[in-house]
Amino acid sequence: MPHTLQESALALNGGERIRTAEWPTYDKGYVDLSQGDESAALRAIQSRRLFRYDNRPHRETEVGQLEQELADFFDAPYVLACSSGTTALALALFSAGVRPGDAVACPAFTFAATPSAIMLAGATPVVVEVDEDLHMDPADLRAKLTPDVKAVVVVHMRGFGCDIERLVSIADSHGVPLFEDAVPALGVSLGGRKLGTFGKAGAFSTQSDKSINTGEGGFMVTSDRDIFERAVVLSGAYEQQIKRHTDPSLPSISDLSLPIFSFRMDEIRGAMARHQLASLEKRVSAFQENYRYVASRLDDVKPIHLRQPVAESAFLGESLIFRIPGATEQQVSWFVRALNAEGIGARGLGDDSRPNNRCFWNWRFAFPEVTREETMKRHQRSTTFLKETIDIPMSITLTKADCDDLVEAITKVCNAYS
Ligand SMILES: Cc1ncc(COP(=O)(O)O)c(C=O)c1O
């Protein structure tokens, strides 16, 4: 039985719901696609040239033009479009010399695709703790950099940039390369520089819930010519296609020395991505504006702790993440159910009745020899923080009224929380 007026007002207890419309998410079709995207896809189809390597000059193909436009956007010399964010990251690692048997550090909070990409490159993931705002913890990274660790992958998870300059300097001081899984932070900058350009290479995705949506797809950004050339061949540039990507007068690698994995991007995706890239800044601003509006109204609401960015504007705003410090699993689960009852699509990250791929203890494929419980115990701080965390997707299609519903629902549930 509800004890207080606030409790009885909750939809969970039979009170009126804040909203009856479904909470918009990409998998229900709430995405930002326009007539221009349809025309771009049709243009590629009608050209009857769907493969990136054909008899046209490179600069006339959709994917070739996309790579140049992305290079301009990132102010980086080399971009390789490919089939996904996971393959972009694996290509970067393998091209930089990561080999079977190597260990590669990555944060405890990231989508399972990050350790998967490390394993695709033949290496083993090593978990680094996250701090109270779920960013990779620099002190723990330093502690984890044993001689077995040959590379570091940082993740700008859920669109929040991590303390990248500090992490780069730690990796540098240990002489290991650092890579950015910048998949969720496409278009976000830190101190005027685009995330994804701080490390040896940055990996991005254009899969459906990213700031560019071509269904599937991805790309790698780098300033390192050797990494770029090897990645081009590995992605599937056979029989001297590599020459289309670089100055043909310069010596380039022998493409027969590397396997080809067919991780290429096709022309239809290339055409759609080009169209969306032209308005990427606007898309990023739309995400950020909604996020700022919601976060500013929830800043002082107790007992939640909103995830804090490492710097002003160093976030995309694709999801609202907060913790309830000190809450038990039952309390977090109650909070999520109360929000769901109000019509908000919230999820507890550490809710083991719906195992979440973003929590390291659920990467059973990576640590089969250790039990789930033992894995959690070894990274106690991250376990505690993730268990206290609630994640709410903020689609680019959210209106001001949706944002008001979100704030009202969270405030209502907070007021009834005990
Ligand atoms: C942090 C992170 N890395 C990598 C990926 C994988 O991207 P893709 O699905 O394009 O392989 C995702 C996908 O959402 C992600 O969130």
Side-chain angles (χ1 to χ4, degrees):
M1 282 291 286
H3 297 297
T4 63
L5 268 179
Q6 283 98 334
E7 275 182 77
S8 45
L10 290 177
L12 187 65
N13 295 327
E16 200 177 332
R17 285 165 74 99
I18 296 282
R19 57 184 283 131
T20 47
E22 69 181 358
W23 188 247
T25 51
Y26 79 96
D27 52 336
K28 297 178 211 138
Y30 293 92
V31 293
D32 181 23
L33 287 180
S34 66
Q35 185 77 52
D37 291 291
E38 291 176 24
S39 309
L42 264 180
R43 179 179 75 229
I45 293 168
Q46 287 167 348
S47 75
R48 315 201 85 69
R49 313 283 188 90
L50 305 185
F51 186 49
R52 67 167 304 170
Y53 296 129
D54 60 21
N55 67 347
R56 290 170 294 173
H58 191 58
R59 62 177 183 282
E60 287 177 19
T61 64
E62 298 285 355
V63 179
Q65 289 178 85
L66 171 67
E67 287 169 342
Q68 186 53 55
E69 288 157 8
L70 284 167
D72 295 343
F73 179 82
F74 283 96
D75 196 17
Y78 307 113
V79 173
L80 171 67
C82 58
S83 55
S84 70
T86 306
T87 55
L89 184 56
L91 285 170
L93 291 169
F94 196 79
S95 302
V98 168
R99 287 294 173 268
D102 291 349
V104 174
C106 74
F109 175 45
T110 180
F111 192 56
T114 313
S116 303
I118 291 170
M119 292 172 73
L120 194 55
T124 307
V126 169
V127 173
V128 178
E129 299 262 23
V130 290
D131 64 17
E132 62 274 20
D133 289 309
L134 307 184
H135 305 303
M136 184 188 267
D137 178 357
D140 196 50
L141 173 63
R142 209 175 272 118
K144 294 282 163 57
L145 286 179
T146 62
D148 291 345
V149 176
K150 303 295 190 215
V152 177
V153 175
V154 300
V155 185
H156 304 300
M157 188 54 177
R158 280 290 199 237
F160 276 68
C162 54
D163 193 352
I164 184 70
E165 283 173 320
R166 193 148 158 226
L167 297 168
V168 168
S169 95
I170 293 170
D172 280 353
S173 67
H174 282 75
V176 290
L178 179 145
F179 300 85
E180 291 170 85
D181 178 340
V183 161
L186 172 50
V188 181
S189 299
L190 179 62
R193 184 166 162 190
K194 295 267 175 347
L195 293 174
T197 64
F198 289 82
K200 274 272 174 209
F204 293 89
S205 168
T206 62
Q207 177 258 332
S208 270
D209 73 337
K210 307 300 178 282
S211 18
I212 290 182
N213 169 14
T214 61
E216 298 282 3
F219 58 91
M220 183 197 83
V221 179
T222 185
S223 302
D224 186 309
R225 184 182 159 105
D226 291 337
I227 290 180
F228 174 68
E229 290 198 344
R230 282 195 283 265
V232 168
V233 175
L234 288 164
S235 78
Y238 55 93
E239 294 175 355
Q240 297 294 296
Q241 306 284 8
I242 172 75
K243 291 209 182 300
R244 299 159 70 92
H245 290 261
T246 54
D247 181 343
S249 66
L250 293 171
S252 99
I253 50 165
S254 159
D255 53 15
L256 299 178
S257 65
L258 289 166
I260 51 166
F261 293 131
S262 288
F263 290 158
R264 292 171 298 255
M265 181 179 274
D266 64 86
E267 287 287 279
I268 302 172
R269 287 191 177 87
M272 285 181 73
R274 287 184 65 208
H275 178 257
Q276 290 176 30
L277 177 60
S279 58
L280 180 57
E281 305 275 12
K282 255 209 268 163
R283 298 159 87 91
V284 170
S285 298
F287 271 120
Q288 289 182 332
E289 196 182 311
N290 276 344
Y291 185 86
R292 271 200 197 93
Y293 176 70
V294 169
S296 67
R297 293 186 59 199
L298 290 173
D299 216 20
D300 295 328
V301 174
K302 298 279 177 281
I304 62 172
H305 167 81
L306 278 189
R307 188 182 189 198
Q308 296 299 305
V310 296
E312 164 61 19
S313 298
F315 60 83
L316 179 60
E318 59 153 352
S319 107
L320 183 75
I321 291 187
F322 57 84
R323 286 192 301 114
I324 312 178
T328 61
E329 279 192 67
Q330 289 72 21
Q331 285 171 314
V332 174
S333 161
W334 174 86
F335 206 106
V336 168
R337 281 186 286 113
L339 281 176
N340 292 160
E342 300 297 340
I344 304 297
R347 201 170 161 190
L349 278 183
D351 173 3
D352 286 330
S353 67
R354 283 175 72 195
N356 194 309
N357 266 354
R358 294 160 193 82
C359 295
F360 66 97
W361 61 83
N362 289 322
W363 308 337
R364 302 307 310 142
F365 57 88
F367 320 110
E369 72 292 353
V370 187
T371 64
R372 209 168 140 278
E373 288 64 34
E374 181 57 29
T375 310
M376 291 163 93
K377 228 192 282 162
R378 288 185 187 177
H379 309 284
Q380 193 54 60
R381 285 185 72 218
S382 303
T383 303
T384 303
F385 293 143
L386 289 166
K387 286 270 177 196
E388 294 171 346
T389 299
I390 292 174
D391 183 19
I392 301 175
M394 290 185 66
S395 157
I396 195 167
T397 64
L398 288 193
T399 61
K400 275 279 171 297
D402 293 323
C403 293
D404 286 335
D405 285 348
L406 178 56
V407 171
E408 235 186 282
I410 293 174
T411 310
K412 184 178 173 187
V413 176
C414 282
N415 287 340
Y417 178 84
S418 55

